């Protein structure tokens, strides 16, 4: 996990381990992501989510949700991505990019960070 509070950005990366999917088709991976999102990306009083968006890359299939986090240090706006790698072992990841900035340009910057994130297959 990487956290930088000095400039208001926070990046969290979690590797959950092997994805619980036996069928490697795109449809099966998307269904697994939707199921995982229901369990992992649950709202609570300090965390609210927007509508999900599915995106595909050469190395992963992902489900992204905008997120607003409220805590003792103020409000952070971000994008939370659950993804399953397509290369090597099928691994479930969560990557969240958050910042104090809000609005379309901040959303575009967060999505650009997520777009540039590459999953590395386990050795």
């Amino acid at each position: 996990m990487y956290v930088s509070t000095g400039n208001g950005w926070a990046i969290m990366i979690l590797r959950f381990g092997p994805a619980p999917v036996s069928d490697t088709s795109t449809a099966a991976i998307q269904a697994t992501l939707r199921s995982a999102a229901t369990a992992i990306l649950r709202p609570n009083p300090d965390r609210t989510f927007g509508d999900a968006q599915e995106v595909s890359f050469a190395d992963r299939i992902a489900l992204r949700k905008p997120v607003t986090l409220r805590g003792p240090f103020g409000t952070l706006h971000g994008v939370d991505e659950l993804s399953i790698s397509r290369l090597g072992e099928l691994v479930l990841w969560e990557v969240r990019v958050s910042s104090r900035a809000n609005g379309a340009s901040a959303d575009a910057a967060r999505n650009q960070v997520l777009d540039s994130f590459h999953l590395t297959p386990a050795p």
Side-chain angles (χ1 to χ4, degrees):
M1 179 182 341
Y2 165 79
V3 177
S4 173
T5 55
N7 62 10
W9 281 84
I11 300 172
M12 177 190 74
I13 302 170
L14 298 173
R15 182 183 190 275
F16 288 104
V21 60
S22 56
D23 179 354
T24 60
S25 70
T26 299
I29 291 173
Q30 289 169 329
T32 300
L33 282 172
R34 285 190 293 276
S35 176
T38 300
I40 297 169
L41 304 181
R42 287 185 290 191
N44 64 41
D46 297 324
R47 182 171 79 167
T48 57
F49 291 97
D51 294 332
Q53 174 189 9
E54 293 182 358
V55 290
S56 293
F57 299 92
D59 65 338
R60 71 191 186 277
I61 297 175
L63 184 74
R64 289 183 181 169
K65 284 188 167 192
V67 61
T68 300
L69 306 159
R70 291 171 193 83
F73 300 108
T75 300
L76 292 177
H77 306 277
V79 178
D80 209 322
E81 176 180 296
L82 285 181
S83 60
I84 295 179
S85 57
R86 296 173 127 173
L87 306 174
E89 180 184 19
L90 297 178
V91 174
L92 178 64
W93 295 82
E94 179 182 3
V95 180
R96 181 184 303 148
V97 178
S98 306
S99 69
R100 295 187 193 286
N102 194 12
S105 63
D107 290 342
R110 288 186 282 270
N111 280 312
Q112 186 175 14
V113 169
L114 286 170
D115 289 349
S116 67
F117 177 73
H118 296 284
L119 299 174
T120 305

